[in-house]
Structure formats: C-alpha cells, structure tokens
C-alpha cells in the first residue's frame, strides 16, 4: 500500500463505521454531517436487459426501439418486473412515477434525461440489432446542436449537447442557481466526435440509410437543415478545435467559473491528476487519451462518408491527413515507456504552457484497443498493443467485476471512488471489444463473463461497482464527502451508483446478442458440416 495514504475507518468520535478499505489522503478530513449510509435496496430476480432498454427508450417492444427518440442516461430500478413475457407499457415508461419510482430516493434519479455522450454510446453499441436507435439519437442531437456562442451554456456552433435538461427541470434549476449553468448545457468535448461516429456508422450500414443525410429537421435557431449539414457542423467543430490547438489535440477547458472541470466521461473533479496525486491544471486545456482516439476514428469515418456518399474527395483527403497527424501526435505525446509502456491518461500544461503527461494507469488506455489507431503489423503497433493488453489484464487493473478505472497502486486509488478505482461496466465492455478486435478472444470472453456475473450478483444494472479485491461484486452504500484542505473544497469521493444505467444495459444486451449470434453461427456451421458428411449405412447383423 502506498504510504501517502492514511487509514481512518472507525471514526468512533462521530459514530460512523465506514468501509474497511476507505482511506483518507493527506490533507483530507471527513465531513461527518454529510456522510451517511443508504438503506440497502434488494431485488430477487435477475433483470432483463431488453426490458430495461425498452424502459430507457420509451419503447413498447423491441421492434419499436428508436421510434420514440434516444435513450435517457439512467433510471431507478422498477421493483415489480412483469412476470408475463409481454411487457406492459406502463411499466416501461420512465415517466410513470406513481407506483414505480415515487418512493425511490432522489440520489438514484439523477440522470433521467438525454445526455449526448451516454445516448450516443448506447446507440452505437446496439447499432447491429437496433439501428433505428442510432437514427433517432443523432436526429434528436442534431436538433439540439449548438448554433451560437453562449458561455453560460458553453454552447458553440456545431457542438453536441452534454445534458439536455429543460430549464424548469428541478435539477436544472438547482444547477443554474448553484453553478450558473444555462440550458441545454454543452460542457463536453467527446460528444461531438461520438456524434460523428454514430451518424456515419448508421449511414454506412446500408445504401438505404445514406438517405438519412437528406432528412430535414429544424435547428435551435429555427432554421431548416438536413443531416448532412449537422455532420458538416460537427466535423468543422472538431477541425477548428484541432487547428486552434498548438499541439494539434482536442482539449477541453471550461470557461464557466463552476462549469464541469473534466469535460469527458470521467468528469469527477479529481479524476485527472499526476502520479504524485497532484490535480491536473484546469486553468489551461487538458487532452484525454480516449478523446483523441475517438476523434481519430471519427475523422476516418467522416472521410468515408464524404468520399463515398457526399462525393467530396477534397474534404475526405483533408480528414484523412488530419487523422494521420493526430495519430502521430498521440504516439509522440501520450506514450510512456515506464512500467513496460502504456498510454498515459492525458496531457495538461504547466503554468508556462509546457505540456506534461498525466502519468497514471487508467482504463482509458484500454479504449485505444477498440480503435483503428493500433491496427497494423508494424513493430511499434504490436509493442503498444501487447503492452496495453498486459496492463489491462494485470492484478493492478483487473478485479472480480472487470477493469478498474484506476490501477490500485496509484496514489488516488480508492475502491469506491466514482472514477478513481471503481469498475464501470460499459468501460470494461468497451475494452473487451478492443481485445476481441485484436484477437484476444479468451480475454474478451472472460471480461464479458465477469460483467454478466455482476448483473447476476447485484440484480440491477449498476452505473459502476467497487474496484476492491473482494470475491464478489460490491455496490457502494455510502455517500462519503471529505474536505480537501489543499484545494479548499468538498469532494464527494463515494456515492451509490445509479441502478439502471443505460450504457450498462447496452453493454450487457450487446454481450447477449453477440453470444446469440455466435451460437446461431455454430449451429449453422455444424449443420453445414453434417450435411456434407458421407451417408454411412450401418451393417445389419446376421
């Protein structure tokens, strides 16, 4: 255990008894009056991933998925699962609160709206089985796409929304009063490249789908646009950001005094830090490894559409050239040879603007596997792939549930921390897809097996589970808030997860659909082989 930790679990003076593996870092003090344990909500039946994706997408049946818009980010779990195979519509609606969620604690109902990043992840994970969800998701987000510069919302032309709340939503009102946010809120850097990836994946799926680019919608300014225009705007937003950056990276930085500081999926205030635990410098831009990887793929995806669908070879060439530059930059800036070699979490700046690596081992590096970035048989790619795989499957990163968000020997690791040690199921599934992509099928199957086990053990679709070393998956039951003396702010370092997180449901459903496809393929292959066998007539005994 790292000596920079101090252990204080009993807190006998306050009457608290926290988890045995809870740790305070130097300069932290427990805020006892805000730290408490939540009653355990138990469920006795393993839930259906299909039933939950229906709830999340307001759908009456699997054939209806995508007809009523994108997925919301999360829902509280409905205690009463229908016993019949036919799912009742009233059970599926996330807006029914009288019987289903009226008694659900508020901390389990935080994200019951569309989030750009979340909805896009769900759509692209399920695009093979439910392509119309990708269509509905990108169309909805195109209607919300930024059309002007507005600091209160962090809106920019072409930028894809982060959180699509109405200003009269109770949570929106609280955030506006406490943090000064305008609505809808655009404080994310990765939703826009994810939008490009999902839109192009849908359009390239079939020749008929390419017509979607001609579909007309009304944008936030009240003007009629088509989906090709939405793609143009998103691509130009990415290119403008890359071109305006001295290092050619897609960085984030909030210009709101109380905007989201880390505008990526690991958006906890303390998720981006250096090896000694020092928080990244948020007064200047920060670039995250998985954002660069997603952007690289988005540029290549868009180039294919511009070349083969929109008949714009010049734009396609520009995008491919920009992708090649970004790939070189990623290899130069994000790779370290320390500890056998790995991709660091990100790049921040010192006070003089100099670039610094955030040299910690996180699950983010595993996202590089599920990308075209490391495809190829050259020595450098093989070395990087092998090193990343070794880290992902190491004891420091892997636990009973999947891949930890932060290696357990890093200074800021805490098993129950939101992004500094917990295991997010979608994150592990994304890494498993990358492993499968590069031929590590056994590793990928093992991660999928662990994820299915989490659902069996918890009976919910948790946002994340603890990254401890226990023999079974564990769920946080505490809200733990500490006072950080160095930064003079409170830090909520542990909280219970949402019970039905959309991208968790999508990951589990994607695993099950993959298994179904493989079983069908194996059955068909067996039948084909059987049909080709010579007919053998048994001898009749005399």
């Amino acid at each position: 255990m790292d000596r920079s930790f101090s252990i204080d679990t009993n807190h006998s003076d306050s009457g608290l008894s926290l988890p045995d593996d809870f740790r305070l870092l130097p300069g932290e003090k427990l805020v006892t009056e805000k730290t408490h344990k939540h009653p355990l909500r138990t469920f006795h039946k393993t839930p259906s991933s299909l039933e939950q994706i229906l709830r999340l997408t307001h759908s009456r049946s699997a054939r209806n998925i995508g007809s009523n818009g994108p997925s919301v980010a999360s829902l509280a779990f409905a205690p009463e699962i229908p016993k019949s195979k036919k799912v009742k519509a009233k059970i599926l609606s996330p807006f029914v609160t009288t019987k289903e969620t009226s008694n659900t604690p508020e901390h389990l109902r935080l994200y019951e709206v569309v989030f750009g990043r979340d909805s896009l992840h769900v759509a692209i994970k399920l695009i093979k089985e439910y392509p119309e969800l990708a269509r509905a998701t990108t169309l909805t987000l195109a209607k919300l796409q930024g059309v002007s510069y507005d600091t209160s919302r962090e809106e920019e032309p072409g930028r894809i929304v982060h959180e699509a709340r109405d200003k009269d939503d109770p949570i929106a009102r609280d955030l506006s009063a406490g943090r000064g946010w305008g609505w809808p809120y655009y404080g994310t850097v990765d939703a826009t490249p994810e939008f490009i990836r999902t839109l192009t994946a849908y359009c390239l799926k079939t020749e008929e789908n390419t017509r979607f680019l001609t579909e007309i919608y009304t944008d936030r300014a009240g003007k009629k646009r088509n989906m090709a225009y939405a793609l143009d705007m998103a691509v130009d937003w990415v290119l403008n950001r890359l071109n305006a950056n001295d290092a050619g990276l897609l960085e984030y930085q909030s210009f709101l005094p109380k905007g989201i500081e880390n505008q990526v999926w690991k958006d906890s205030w303390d998720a981006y830090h250096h090896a000694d635990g020092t928080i990244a410098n948020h007064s200047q831009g920060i670039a995250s490894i998985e954002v660069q990887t997603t952007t690289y793929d988005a540029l290549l995806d868009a180039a294919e559409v511009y070349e083969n669908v929109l008949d714009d070879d010049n734009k396609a060439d520009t995008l491919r050239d920009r992708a090649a530059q970004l790939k070189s930059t990623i290899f130069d800036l994000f790779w370290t040879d320390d500890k056998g070699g790995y991709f660091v979490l990100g790049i921040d700046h010192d006070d003089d603007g100099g670039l610094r690596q955030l040299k910690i081992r996180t699950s983010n590096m595993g996202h590089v596997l599920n990308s075209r970035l490391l495809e190829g048989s050259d020595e450098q790619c093989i070395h990087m792939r092998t090193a990343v795989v070794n880290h992902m499957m190491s004891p420091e990163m892997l636990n009973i549930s999947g891949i930890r968000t932060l290696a357990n020997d890093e200074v800021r690791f805490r098993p129950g921390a939101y992004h500094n040690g917990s295991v997010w199921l979608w994150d592990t599934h994304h890494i498993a897809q990358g492993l499968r992509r590069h031929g590590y099928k056994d590793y990928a199957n093992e991660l999928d097996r662990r994820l299915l086990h989490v659902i069996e053990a918890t009976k919910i679709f948790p946002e994340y589970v603890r990254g401890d070393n226990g023999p079974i998956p564990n769920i946080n039951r505490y809200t733990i808030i500490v006072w950080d003396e160095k930064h003079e702010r409170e830090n909520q370092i542990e909280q219970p997860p949402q019970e039905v997180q959309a991208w968790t449901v999508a990951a589990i459903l994607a695993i099950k659909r993959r298994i179904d496809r493989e079983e069908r393929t194996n059955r068909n292959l067996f039948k084909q082989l059987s049909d080709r066998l010579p007919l053998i007539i048994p001898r009749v005994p005399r």
Side-chain angles (χ1 to χ4, degrees):
M1 184 181 299
D2 195 289
R3 293 183 180 180
S4 62
F5 287 123
S6 62
I7 302 177
D8 183 8
T9 58
N10 292 323
H11 303 285
S12 56
D13 57 330
S14 63
L16 288 172
S17 180
L18 298 178
D20 292 339
D21 54 12
F22 170 69
R23 300 176 178 90
L24 289 172
L25 295 174
E28 290 181 342
K29 183 183 298 184
L30 188 70
V31 182
T32 56
E33 63 273 17
K34 295 184 179 181
T35 296
H36 55 279
K37 189 175 185 178
H38 298 274
L40 179 65
R41 281 164 55 92
T42 57
F43 304 96
H44 304 291
K45 180 180 178 181
T46 302
S48 160
S49 52
L50 179 57
E51 286 177 4
Q52 297 310 309
I53 206 68
L54 294 177
R55 290 182 68 221
L56 290 156
T57 58
H58 330 283
S59 304
R60 294 178 179 272
S61 68
R63 289 177 296 181
N64 187 237
I65 292 174
S67 298
N68 296 309
S71 168
V72 295
S74 71
L75 291 170
F77 188 68
E80 296 182 2
I81 301 176
K83 293 182 180 179
S84 65
K85 293 184 180 179
K86 293 184 178 179
V87 183
K88 298 178 181 178
K90 70 175 185 177
I91 294 293
L92 300 178
S93 172
F95 302 109
V96 173
T97 59
T98 52
K99 293 182 179 180
E100 187 176 344
T101 58
S102 60
N103 296 322
T104 303
E106 290 184 6
H107 70 273
L108 297 178
R109 301 191 61 193
L110 297 178
Y111 311 121
E112 297 179 351
V113 296
V114 170
F115 280 69
R117 177 193 305 122
D118 300 53
S119 298
L120 289 163
H121 272 293
V122 171
I124 203 166
K125 290 294 183 192
L126 298 178
I127 198 167
K128 287 184 179 179
E129 285 76 21
Y130 309 108
E132 292 310 295
L133 183 59
R135 182 183 185 278
T137 300
T138 52
L139 179 59
T140 296
L141 294 177
K143 294 175 182 178
L144 293 169
Q145 190 174 29
V147 296
S148 62
Y149 292 94
D150 188 310
T151 302
S152 70
R153 294 192 295 266
E154 302 207 48
E155 179 181 0
E156 298 170 4
R159 194 174 197 177
I160 297 300
V161 70
H162 170 56
E163 192 168 346
R165 293 188 189 276
D166 183 84
K167 65 180 181 180
D168 294 324
D169 177 292
I171 293 177
R173 288 200 301 267
D174 288 344
L175 288 168
S176 295
R179 307 189 71 172
W181 294 7
W183 299 99
Y185 180 60
Y186 291 81
T188 173
V189 74
D190 50 352
T192 308
E194 292 288 359
F195 173 82
I196 296 169
R197 294 217 65 208
T198 307
L199 176 56
T200 54
Y202 177 79
C203 290
L204 294 170
K205 190 172 178 62
T206 67
E207 185 175 344
E208 182 179 349
N209 286 8
T210 62
R211 299 174 189 169
F212 181 46
L213 291 172
T214 66
E215 179 148 341
I216 304 297
Y217 66 92
T218 303
D219 71 8
R220 277 176 43 78
K223 296 182 179 180
K224 298 293 184 181
R225 306 292 190 186
N226 62 26
M227 290 303 293
Y229 176 84
L231 175 62
D232 282 339
M233 291 293 289
V235 168
D236 287 346
W237 183 87
V238 169
L239 289 176
N240 290 338
R241 282 289 193 108
L242 291 173
N243 293 334
N245 185 269
D246 290 341
L249 297 170
L250 189 59
E251 292 185 337
Y252 63 83
Q253 182 185 6
S254 177
F255 293 99
L256 275 176
K258 294 185 179 180
I260 295 179
E261 288 156 301
N262 291 317
Q263 300 193 341
V264 287
W265 85 266
K266 287 184 178 176
D267 55 6
S268 300
W269 159 74
D270 59 349
Y272 281 70
H273 58 271
H274 292 271
D276 63 358
T278 302
I279 299 297
N281 181 12
H282 290 103
S283 66
Q284 299 189 47
I286 297 172
S288 188
I289 177 61
E290 86 288 353
V291 174
Q292 315 314 308
T293 302
T294 300
T295 301
Y296 172 77
D297 283 330
L299 293 170
L300 294 178
D301 293 340
E304 188 172 352
V305 168
Y306 279 106
E307 181 179 57
N308 298 322
V309 181
L310 298 175
D311 197 26
D312 190 341
D313 291 344
N314 290 334
K315 189 67 171 279
D317 290 342
T318 296
L319 294 175
R320 291 193 177 104
D321 288 345
R322 201 66 193 80
Q325 294 172 34
L326 182 58
K327 178 177 181 177
S328 178
T329 301
I330 294 171
F331 285 1
D332 288 344
L333 296 182
F334 287 82
W335 183 260
T336 176
D337 289 325
D338 290 0
K339 299 181 179 179
Y342 64 94
F343 287 101
V344 301
L345 171 60
I347 303 292
D348 78 343
H349 299 258
D350 61 26
D351 292 336
D352 296 323
L355 300 179
R356 305 181 301 185
Q357 288 186 327
L358 301 174
K359 200 176 288 187
I360 53 176
R361 287 165 300 144
T362 65
S363 60
N364 301 55
M365 79 168 101
H367 291 212
V368 179
L369 296 172
N370 197 16
S371 163
R372 278 166 283 186
L373 191 73
L374 292 184
E375 289 182 346
S377 57
D378 61 279
E379 187 175 338
Q380 183 182 30
C381 281
I382 293 173
H383 169 65
M384 288 178 168
R385 283 200 305 263
T386 304
V388 170
V389 171
N390 288 340
H391 281 293
M392 290 298 96
M393 306 306 293
S394 70
E396 292 79 20
M397 295 296 299
L398 182 66
N399 91 331
I400 191 66
S401 302
I403 305 294
R404 296 181 175 98
T405 46
L406 180 66
N408 67 1
D409 59 352
E410 299 287 358
V411 169
R412 284 192 170 267
F413 170 80
R414 282 185 271 225
Y418 201 53
H419 294 125
N420 281 335
S422 58
V423 173
W424 286 63
L425 281 72
W426 86 270
D427 185 31
T428 293
H429 177 248
H430 196 71
I431 296 167
Q433 288 182 306
L435 290 167
R436 198 177 306 280
R437 182 183 195 130
H438 292 293
Y440 295 92
K441 184 178 179 180
D442 289 343
Y443 285 167
N445 288 342
E446 176 58 24
L447 290 182
D448 284 352
R449 185 191 68 79
R450 295 188 187 212
L451 295 178
L452 293 173
H453 177 55
V454 171
I455 309 306
E456 292 284 344
T458 64
K459 302 296 189 288
I460 60 175
F461 291 96
E463 188 178 12
Y464 58 91
V465 290
R466 293 177 66 82
D468 55 30
N469 286 321
I472 59 173
N474 282 312
I475 300 289
N476 283 350
R477 291 188 60 192
Y478 290 84
T479 291
I480 300 176
I481 297 177
V482 301
W483 176 255
D484 187 311
E485 293 179 348
K486 180 178 180 181
H487 298 93
E488 297 184 334
R489 63 184 293 173
E490 287 185 351
N491 189 9
Q492 184 166 301
I493 59 171
E494 192 165 314
Q495 64 199 64
Q498 300 300 294
E499 291 177 337
V500 181
Q501 188 78 2
W503 45 14
T504 297
V505 177
I508 298 301
L509 188 54
I511 291 170
K512 291 183 176 180
R513 292 293 180 262
R514 177 189 59 77
I515 293 172
D516 289 344
R517 287 194 301 271
E518 290 180 355
E519 288 179 348
R520 287 196 300 271
T521 300
N522 290 338
R523 285 197 298 269
N524 291 337
L525 179 61
F526 178 77
K527 185 177 184 304
Q528 292 171 15
L529 292 173
S530 299
D531 291 344
R532 294 173 188 171
L533 292 176
L535 180 62
I536 300 176
I537 301 176
R539 291 184 178 182
V540 179
R542 295 186 181 186

